[in-house]
Amino acid sequence: MSIKIKLLGKNLEKIREILDRYGLEDCGTAVPDVVVTYGGDGALLGAEREFPGILKLPLRDAETAPTCAEHEAEKMIREFIAGSLVTVQLPKLCAAGNGRELWGINDLVLHTREYTTALRYRVFIDGELYAQEVVGDGLCFAGVHGSSAYYRSITRGIFRTGVGVAFSNSTEVVDHLVLPEKSVVAVEILRGTGVVMADNDPEKFEVHEGEKVIFRQTDEKAQICNLAGFMCPECRYLRHHLLPLNGKRK
């Protein structure tokens, strides 16, 4: 199979052995056709930042995330070679403010910089004022894939279409929102300093009093092969019930 593969993650010895058995190897510095991530969600998110738009095949590292028999790494490699895995396109999110941009797949987060002081801000949706003043830790702007992450931890719910806005620890009663996917959410800082973050990106930027940050879903897509298998509920059950606190398999 003539395909250029880039391998990313930790504990790569085992996956390299598997790839070698099928005549596949890391392409080095060449532009890859597919990026194989070996690890967890963080490895996949980081790979999309490093190689945006290139096909990703995420595989769970069995040492830290045991999988069910259907989604073992070697079986997934065989099915990828056979062309039997489904590729989905996840819309990417963008946060823009203070001359900076951050991109994510799961969610974008505005959070108060000072953990002992609430952030005061107002919210506009598609140019219309939605909340005159919100006092709290900040908010989360999530895509469909990210609805089961931080958004869910705040709202105790998920959504299947559109984009979601969840307000973190606000003192006012503010309804969490599920909006059409083309909605643009603008947040103006009234008091305090906010920090804007995307997924697990170590990069971030600040917004200050009088400044705005704009959240939106873009037309850019992340191409993920076998996402359903990577997010398999049975695999998730095994991760939570077979691993002790030190992260090693029993």
Side-chain angles (χ1 to χ4, degrees), residues 8-56:
L8 296 177
K10 298 179 180 179
N11 306 320
L12 296 179
E13 293 77 11
K14 179 179 179 180
I15 193 64
R16 284 198 177 100
E17 292 174 2
I18 294 173
L19 291 174
D20 186 60
R21 287 200 289 272
Y22 293 90
L24 301 172
E25 61 181 14
D26 194 300
C27 67
T29 59
V31 177
D33 299 309
V34 58
V35 178
V36 176
T37 67
Y38 193 59
D41 296 35
L44 173 59
L45 296 172
E48 181 59 29
R49 287 195 301 275
E50 187 173 354
F51 296 95
I54 292 176
L55 180 65
K56 309 296 182 306

Side-chain angles (χ1 to χ4, degrees), residues 30 82 94 129 134 147 176:
C94 180
L129 182 65
V134 182
S147 71
H176 307 302

Side-chain angles (χ1 to χ4, degrees), residues 16-205:
R16 284 198 177 100
E17 292 174 2
I18 294 173
L19 291 174
D20 186 60
R21 287 200 289 272
Y22 293 90
L24 301 172
E25 61 181 14
D26 194 300
C27 67
T29 59
V31 177
D33 299 309
V34 58
V35 178
V36 176
T37 67
Y38 193 59
D41 296 35
L44 173 59
L45 296 172
E48 181 59 29
R49 287 195 301 275
E50 187 173 354
F51 296 95
I54 292 176
L55 180 65
K56 309 296 182 306
L57 173 60
L59 303 173
R60 298 282 180 188
D61 176 0
E63 288 300 313
T64 59
T67 62
C68 70
E70 287 298 309
H71 299 118
E72 292 178 346
E74 185 160 359
K75 185 174 188 296
M76 293 296 93
I77 292 294
R78 287 200 305 268
E79 293 190 8
F80 175 74
I81 293 172
S84 59
L85 298 180
V86 175
T87 296
V88 300
Q89 295 189 338
L90 295 179
K92 297 172 73 169
L93 311 173
C94 180
N98 207 7
R100 298 279 304 278
E101 283 188 347
L102 287 176
W103 293 69
I105 299 173
N106 271 2
D107 46 45
L108 310 168
V109 175
L110 169 68
H111 197 278
T112 177
R113 186 186 66 182
E114 306 297 335
Y115 286 89
T116 56
T117 304
L119 193 66
R120 292 179 181 267
Y121 58 93
R122 64 169 55 108
V123 179
F124 300 85
I125 299 174
D126 296 329
E128 298 292 329
L129 182 65
Y130 172 74
Q132 177 64 36
E133 182 176 83
V134 182
V135 181
D137 288 345
L139 61 77
C140 168
F141 182 89
V144 170
H145 184 62
S147 71
S148 61
Y150 187 41
Y151 178 91
R152 184 176 186 177
S153 74
I154 297 173
T155 67
R156 306 302 179 195
I158 61 174
F159 55 90
R160 301 298 184 189
T161 60
V163 293
V165 180
F167 299 92
S168 178
N169 292 327
S170 59
T171 58
E172 298 79 12
V173 178
V174 185
D175 290 334
H176 307 302
L177 303 170
V178 178
L179 303 170
E181 63 182 17
K182 294 298 184 182
S183 298
V184 176
V185 176
V187 179
E188 179 183 1
I189 305 301
L190 301 176
R191 192 178 75 185
T193 297
V195 179
V196 181
M197 299 163 279
D199 290 344
N200 62 342
D201 193 341
E203 296 292 326
K204 52 185 69 71
F205 66 83

